[in-house]
Each structure stands twice: as structure tokens, then as C-alpha cells.
Amino acid sequence: VGVAVPDSNPTYDVIVVGCGAMGSAIACHLARMGKTVLGLEQFGIPNDRGSSHGGTRIIRLAYAEDSDYVPPLQRSYAWWRELEREAGTRLLTITGSLDVGPEGSWLCAGAKDSCLAHNLPYALLSGREINRRFPAYRVDEAHTGVWQPDGGILEPERCVAEQIRQARLRGATILDHVTVSEWSSDGDRAFVNTSAGVFAGRHLVLAAGPWMPKLVDVLAPLLTVERQVMGWFESTDRISSRPDHFPVANLLDGEQRYATYPDVGGAGIKVMISGHRHQVCDADGVDRRIDATDLALLAAAARRCLAIAAPRPHHAATCLYTNTASGRFIVDRHPDHANVVIVSACSGHGFKFCGAIADAAGDLIAGGAQRWGGMHGGQTGNSGAEAASASSH
Ligand SMILES: Cc1cc2nc3c(=O)[nH]c(=O)nc-3n(C[C@H](O)[C@H](O)[C@H](O)COP(=O)(O)OP(=O)(O)OC[C@H]3O[C@@H](n4cnc5c(N)ncnc54)[C@H](O)[C@@H]3O)c2cc1C
């Protein structure tokens, strides 16, 4: 950064760039640790331009991707409950979760393995039993499903707002509508050049979601940003679509994978197709318009797995995935700057992990090794081993 930091600006313990799910959780956690924190967000908080919007996110323990994710998930459940206690409001609603597909598919086998490895309660249900117990669903009767009672939904915009509120309560300075154009580090201090001037911190956390490839050169070859579309369907049965009757689900249907979310607050049942149209994009240049192909794909997905959804979505919106090849997260020190932490908790399944990601970032800031090694891919070459796993919600 070629501009001097004004004398009147303090040196913060940590500057956090990006106040989506991860940046807001990390700012909150660091403020609780007693650090002086500056959080910077280019849009409003929350916003609908990155990866943390759309009313609902799945949280689940039967983690088909790898049972290593279960301990950080258990920690993250505790994080959400603690946040709720301090907020005096509900952010996490338990619905139970379903992982449905052909018997022996990676999704069903993996979900069951996670339950067995961590002694979680679960039940194996046939497709027919799923349709009988949960009338919202009409899954293939020949398929099988793992039902796990702890699955549920988080409300992402409210979660982000609450993390920021609690960060501010503990003294964090959070500036919205401030864009970071560049950053640097001299080893002792990191600097950010922004639309509101230059700021300095002893540490810098970069948590810019789908903007990470632009902000961190070394990540550009490791991350792919992808356009996703969520569709909301009016329900033909108000009771069966409610969170207390509608478990969240991941469903395998041939090559396709769907995720389904109950109706929250009358918005409608939400349906997503993982990978949607596999449209690689740029966070600033992405086409956010919804077209007829998007709507037709969502309608076909709803027809394949739901009994009570209107034939076509009444609303749809884009959202961005930031994918690693392994589907695992990156939470690591920058390979060239030990005081800069890079966080990309991504690949379409990161939201639920806010508490564990905040822990891991806090560990790195405190100078230690990070917890929860199993959920990181080590893609930066600094830690861990990359392991293959498919992403989902
Ligand atoms: C459609 C969809 C469905 C999903 N479903 C699930 C699910 O069911 N369960 C689940 O656990 N996960 C799910 N995920 C994944 C999860 O939502 C993401 O992993 C998570 O939201 C990522 O948060 P983030 O903070 O990394 O990114 P973001 O929320 O995008 O936050 C990054 C922030 O950084 C800001 N920023 C970027 N560059 C700058 C800059 N230069 N200066 C200042 N600010 C900057 C951005 O404006 C943005 O607000 C889903 C994702 C999508 C897209």
C-alpha cells in the first residue's frame, strides 16, 4: 500500500475483510477473545451479493462428505446456541435431516458412517417410509434414506446480523460500504487500502467469499466461483411444508443432487440443484438474472422429490459458490505472510460451520495450530492433506 496510515488511525489487533458468514463469525469470536477488531464490508450487512443470503441454510450432523466434519459441526451447533442465548432469539430450528439416494450410494453410506463413527442417533428409512412419514416428499420408493434428528435450518441473514451485533457489543468497529482495493504486510503489520482510507492491523483476516480469487493471488488457481440458483415454491399443504413436519434433505437422483428446505415465514419451500448449470463466473460479472432454463430445471427438481410444491417456482435468486477441487475449506496462514489468515469456507456447505471456522481462524491469530484439521484441505500447501470429497449442503 503506497499511502501512509494517518496518525489518528489506531493499529487494530486484527482487520477482517468481508463481513459475510465467515467474516462476521470471526469478528465476533475475536472480539470475544478481547482483540481490537476492524471489520470491513463492501456492501450492506447482510447483503444478497455473495454466498450468505436466501433465507435458509441446512445444518446437519450426518455428514456424508466425511465423518471428520462431525466434531467441528458439534462445536458449531454450540456456537449457534450460544449466539441465540445472547441474542434472546432463535436462529437455528431443528427439523431433522434426510440423506436420500440409491442404497449403497456415497450419500447414504457416508451419512450412515458419520452416525456410526460418532454414535449419533439415526434411522434407515425406505423411500416408501419417507413418503409416508414426511408427506411433503415424494422420493423414489426404491431409494433409501438416512434420517437424523439433529438436522435443521439456520436463517443466514439473521445469523450474520447477529454475529455483527455481538461483535460490535464487544467493541469491534464494523464499517459497511467500504471496499478494500489492496492489502500488504511488512511482517509486523498488515495494511489495507480502502474506499475509506488506509488502515493497519497486527493481523489481517481475508474472508471475502467469492471475491477471494481477486483479493489473494495464490488462491486464484485453487478456487472456482460458480453461479447457483435457489427457487421457492408455493406449498399445496401448509402443514407438511412447515419446519416441524419437513426435514431438510439432500437427495441423489442419478447424476443430480437436490437440496430441499421447509417453508419459513411463508416464503415457500426452497429447492436447489447442486451445481445447477455448472456456470463458472466472476463475482462482479455474474449474470444475476433468472431465465427460463433456471426455472425449468428447478421445476423438474421439485417434481422429482416433492409431493406438495406448486408446479413452478414463484421466486428465484442467484447465489455464489466458491469451490475448491476437494470440496474442503481453506483456513490457513498466507504462504508468504504469517500475519495474514485466508478463509474460504466454501464449496456450497460452509455456512453451518461458522463457529468452527471462527475457532480455527482465532487459533491462527493466537499463533497456534488450528483446530479441526479434518475439515481443511491444505490446498495452500501450509497444512494438512488434500482429500477428495463431493460438496453439498
Ligand atoms: C445457494 C447456496 C446454498 C447454500 N446452502 C448451504 C447450506 O444449506 N448449508 C451450508 O452450511 N452452507 C450452504 N451454502 C454455503 C454457505 O452459504 C457459504 O459457505 C458461506 O455463506 C460462505 O460465507 P463467506 O463469508 O465465505 O462468503 P460471503 O457470504 O460471500 O461473504 C464475503 C463477504 O466479503 C465481502 N467482500 C468481498 N470482497 C471485499 C472487499 N474487497 N472489500 C470489502 N468486502 C469484501 C463481500 O461483499 C461479502 O459480503 C450455500 C451457498 C449457496 C450459494
Side-chain angles (χ1 to χ4, degrees):
V1 177
V3 191
V5 185
D7 287 343
S8 54
N9 280 7
T11 296
Y12 294 90
D13 288 334
V14 190
I15 297 177
V16 180
V17 178
C19 295
M22 301 307 144
S24 64
I26 292 165
C28 180
H29 179 59
L30 294 173
R32 282 178 179 167
M33 285 167 67
K35 304 280 183 200
T36 56
V37 176
L38 172 67
L40 300 170
E41 168 55 50
Q42 63 183 342
F43 302 128
I45 305 173
N47 66 70
D48 62 0
R49 310 290 284 279
S51 304
S52 302
H53 58 280
T56 43
R57 288 291 184 272
I58 292 175
I59 182 165
R60 59 196 159 86
L61 281 178
Y63 224 69
E65 291 81 349
D66 194 323
S67 61
D68 279 354
Y69 285 103
V70 176
L73 276 165
Q74 289 168 324
R75 157 61 183 141
S76 298
Y77 270 81
W79 166 271
W80 295 118
R81 291 307 189 198
E82 195 181 331
L83 213 65
E84 284 180 327
R85 262 195 308 279
E86 294 205 18
T89 184
R90 189 163 69 179
L91 302 168
L92 163 58
T93 303
I94 297 298
T95 61
S97 67
L98 283 168
D99 289 278
V100 183
E103 198 174 351
S105 59
W106 72 268
L107 185 70
C108 297
K112 186 178 154 197
D113 285 351
S114 272
C115 294
L116 289 173
H118 294 278
N119 209 17
L120 306 173
Y122 75 98
L124 286 181
L125 302 177
S126 68
R128 185 185 294 245
E129 284 169 318
I130 290 168
N131 296 340
R132 202 183 56 236
R133 266 179 80 166
F134 308 111
Y137 284 98
R138 185 174 52 217
V139 304
D140 188 330
E141 291 199 349
H143 280 186
T144 185
V146 178
W147 176 76
Q148 207 285 323
D150 298 301
I153 42 170
L154 293 157
E155 295 179 52
E157 291 88 345
R158 293 184 54 233
C159 291
V160 168
E162 188 54 34
Q163 289 176 154
I164 288 297
R165 195 185 72 85
Q166 293 192 24
R168 282 183 165 137
L169 274 179
R170 286 174 175 76
T173 303
I174 308 287
L175 304 179
D176 56 17
H177 297 98
V178 172
T179 303
V180 173
S181 52
E182 52 183 340
W183 61 271
S184 65
S185 164
D186 65 11
D188 294 323
R189 290 200 304 167
F191 305 91
V192 289
N193 202 356
T194 81
S195 51
V198 181
F199 299 97
R202 275 176 275 283
H203 297 268
L204 178 63
V205 175
L206 300 170
W211 284 266
M212 284 299 268
K214 295 185 169 197
L215 209 56
V216 187
D217 289 350
V218 290
L219 288 184
L222 303 175
L223 298 176
T224 310
V225 179
E226 199 185 328
R227 175 181 180 270
Q228 292 292 316
V229 180
M230 308 170 270
W232 286 262
F233 293 76
E234 200 169 316
S235 166
T236 55
D237 175 349
R238 297 254 170 254
I239 296 201
S240 304
S241 59
R242 285 187 341 210
D244 53 344
H245 285 69
F246 186 116
V248 292
N250 275 287
L251 306 110
L252 269 189
D253 179 31
E255 296 297 298
Q256 300 277 31
R257 198 170 67 255
Y258 312 132
T260 48
Y261 305 68
D263 184 353
V264 175
I269 301 169
K270 192 171 97 178
V271 176
M272 275 198 56
I273 307 163
S274 208
H276 195 65
R277 291 160 71 182
H278 302 289
Q279 292 166 302
V280 173
C281 67
D282 168 281
D284 292 310
V286 58
D287 187 351
R288 296 180 187 272
R289 290 168 303 181
I290 302 297
D291 66 20
T293 306
D294 294 324
L295 296 176
L297 286 169
L298 290 166
R303 252 194 326 272
R304 292 289 295 166
C305 53
L306 293 172
I308 61 161
R312 294 182 67 76
H314 61 267
H315 175 63
T318 52
C319 187
L320 301 175
Y321 273 10
T322 309
N323 295 326
T324 55
S326 69
R328 290 185 188 243
F329 309 143
I330 298 173
V331 184
D332 218 337
R333 294 191 178 89
H334 189 286
D336 303 323
H337 305 287
N339 63 340
V340 178
V341 172
I342 46 185
V343 177
S344 184
C346 47
S347 297
H349 66 136
F351 195 92
K352 58 181 86 62
F353 290 93
C354 277
I357 299 287
D359 280 347
D363 290 343
L364 295 173
I365 299 286
Q370 58 179 311
R371 268 166 276 184
W372 323 123
M375 71 181 181
H376 313 299
Q379 292 95 333
T380 53
N382 279 353
S383 62
E386 182 150 346
S389 105
S391 64
S392 60
H393 311 90

